[in-house]
Amino acid sequence: MNPKERLEQYAGEVESVIRAWLPPEDGYQRTVAMAMNYSVKAGGKRLRPLFMREVYRLFAGAPGQGEENREKGKSGQSAGPEAAVEPFMAAIEMIHTFSLIHDDLPCMDNDSLRRGQPTTWVKYGYDMAVLAGDGLAICAFETAARALEVSDRPEAVARCMGLLARKSGVEGMIGGQTVDVELSGKPIDPERLDFIYRLKTGALLEVSMMIGAVLGGADEQQVEAVEKMASCVGQAFQIQDDILDVTGTTETLGKPVGSDEKNEKTTYVSLYGIEHARRAVRELSLQGKKILDSLPGDHEFLEYLIDMLITRKK
C-alpha cells in the first residue's frame, strides 16, 4: 500500500479502537456520557493516536496489519501485540477532546462550531459541557490503566501513565492554556508565545509519540529523540493552525475562522507575518524529519504524516 492508502486503513482502525473504549450511555448519568461520546465521535484527524501507534511500531516492529490479523478479546479490544498501546491511543484522544470542549466554552474562546457541528456547550449546555470535559479527563486515566491488564511490562505502562499526566497538566497542556488565557488581549513576546505553543499544542503530540516509543521498547536516548522530534512537529502544527485561521474558511475547517483575531490573541502570524510563518512550518517539519531519520525502522508513513501537517488545508 502507498502512504495514502495506509492512512485510510489505519484511520479506520484507530477510530474503531477509540470508540471501543467510550463509556456506555446508560443509567441516570447517561446525559454526561452522551455529551462525552458526542464530542469524541465528532471526528478529527486522530493524529495523536496515529502517531502513537506508528512510533510504537517503529520500535516494536509492525505486526500483521488489518482486522483479519488482530486477535480480539471479548470486549472488542486487541489481545495481540498492540494490546497495551491501544488503551493509551483512546486515552490521548479523550484528553485532547476534553481540552477542546473546555476551549470552546464561553469563558474561554466562546466558539459555537467544532468539526462542522455545534460545540458541546451549545448542544448540551454549559454545565454539561464542563462535566463532559471533566469526565473525559478522568476516563482517560481509567482507560490507560487498563493497559496494565494486558501488558507484560507493567513498569512501562506506569511510566507512560506518569508521562500522560505530566504532559496534560500544569507542566504541559494546561500550563500552556493557562498562559494563553491570562495573556488573551494582551501583547505576547516571542518567548511566551513559544512557551504557549510548546505546552498547549506540542505537549500532547510529544507524549503521544513518547508513549509509543516507551511501550515499543525504545531506550532513553531514543525516547529523548522522539520527544524532540514531536516538539518540532507540534510547533509546526500550531503555526499551521494560525495560518489556516487567517486563510481558511469555516466550510473547509468546520469551525469559525478569525477566532484568534476576535479574541485578540497574539499568534505566530500576527507576530511575524504569514510568509515567515509558512517558512517556520517548513523548517520545523524538516527538523522533525531529520531526527526521525536517525531512528530505526521504516519511516515512510511517519514522514507522510509529518508532511500532511505542512500541506493540510483543514
Side-chain angles (χ1 to χ4, degrees):
M1 287 187 293
N2 62 42
K4 185 176 180 180
E5 292 170 334
R6 288 170 72 181
L7 178 59
E8 291 175 358
Q9 176 182 320
Y10 293 176
E13 293 173 2
V14 168
E15 191 68 30
S16 296
V17 168
I18 293 166
R19 294 190 177 217
W21 290 100
L22 293 178
E25 298 176 5
D26 54 23
Y28 290 126
Q29 73 273 36
R30 63 181 174 274
T31 303
V32 74
M34 290 169 62
M36 291 162 65
N37 294 348
Y38 168 81
S39 307
V40 176
K41 290 179 179 179
K45 304 170 190 67
R46 309 303 196 203
L47 285 173
R48 292 156 192 83
L50 264 173
F51 272 117
M52 184 185 293
R53 192 175 73 167
E54 290 312 304
V55 172
Y56 169 85
R57 288 178 171 180
L58 203 65
F59 293 100
Q65 296 160 3
E67 289 296 315
E68 69 278 8
N69 293 316
R70 296 168 70 215
E71 183 185 352
K72 292 289 185 178
K74 289 182 181 179
S75 61
Q77 285 84 46
S78 287
E82 293 181 358
V85 77
E86 289 189 357
F88 281 100
M89 290 165 61
I92 195 66
E93 201 64 15
M94 291 175 186
I95 294 285
H96 174 55
T97 304
F98 124 67
S99 75
L100 299 181
I101 293 173
H102 285 184
D103 218 22
D104 291 333
L105 291 173
C107 65
M108 302 280 271
D109 287 349
N110 193 25
D111 280 329
S112 59
L113 198 66
R114 169 74 65 177
R115 295 166 176 166
Q117 298 183 36
T119 50
T120 309
W121 75 268
V122 171
K123 177 81 172 177
Y124 287 95
Y126 197 144
D127 50 0
M128 206 53 61
V130 171
L131 290 171
D134 294 345
L136 283 170
I138 300 299
C139 191
F141 287 95
E142 178 186 0
T143 301
R146 295 288 296 276
L148 290 166
E149 300 171 10
V150 292
S151 175
D152 59 358
R153 296 174 60 227
E155 73 289 346
V157 173
R159 180 184 177 191
C160 289
M161 291 180 69
L163 287 170
L164 183 60
R166 179 163 60 86
K167 294 286 188 178
S168 302
V170 294
E171 294 184 34
M173 180 191 69
I174 290 175
Q177 180 79 329
T178 299
V179 178
D180 190 31
V181 168
E182 286 182 333
L183 296 179
S184 183
K186 301 175 183 177
I188 300 178
D189 58 79
E191 182 180 352
R192 282 183 175 82
L193 186 65
D194 180 64
F195 177 88
I196 291 169
Y197 283 13
R198 282 190 295 108
L199 272 67
K200 182 181 174 182
T201 301
L204 289 192
L205 273 167
E206 288 170 15
V207 77
S208 298
M209 298 194 213
M210 291 171 74
I211 287 172
V214 170
L215 293 178
D219 61 33
E220 287 304 311
Q221 188 175 359
Q222 290 169 331
V223 173
E224 288 178 11
V226 166
E227 183 177 20
K228 290 176 184 176
M229 173 183 71
S231 179
C232 293
V233 173
Q235 286 183 280
F237 182 84
Q238 181 58 57
I239 296 170
Q240 183 67 8
D241 249 15
D242 292 349
I243 294 169
L244 292 175
D245 192 67
V246 174
T247 63
T249 65
T250 299
E251 291 73 24
T252 302
L253 299 178
K255 61 180 180 179
V257 296
S259 61
D260 292 332
E261 184 178 1
K262 177 190 74 174
N263 293 310
E264 299 181 329
K265 284 188 174 181
T266 299
T267 68
Y268 209 90
V269 172
S270 67
L271 201 60
Y272 297 108
I274 198 160
E275 290 307 317
H276 185 101
R278 284 174 171 152
R279 286 197 300 273
V281 171
R282 289 193 295 269
E283 290 168 5
L284 286 163
S285 300
L286 288 172
Q287 288 176 35
K289 288 197 288 186
K290 184 176 180 180
I291 297 171
L292 177 60
D293 286 341
S294 70
L295 300 174
D298 179 6
H299 307 145
E300 181 185 25
F301 185 62
L302 277 168
E303 288 187 12
Y304 177 76
L305 288 179
I306 294 173
D307 285 336
M308 274 180 52
L309 301 182
I310 65 171
T311 59
R312 66 191 173 92
K313 303 298 181 185
K314 59 182 181 178

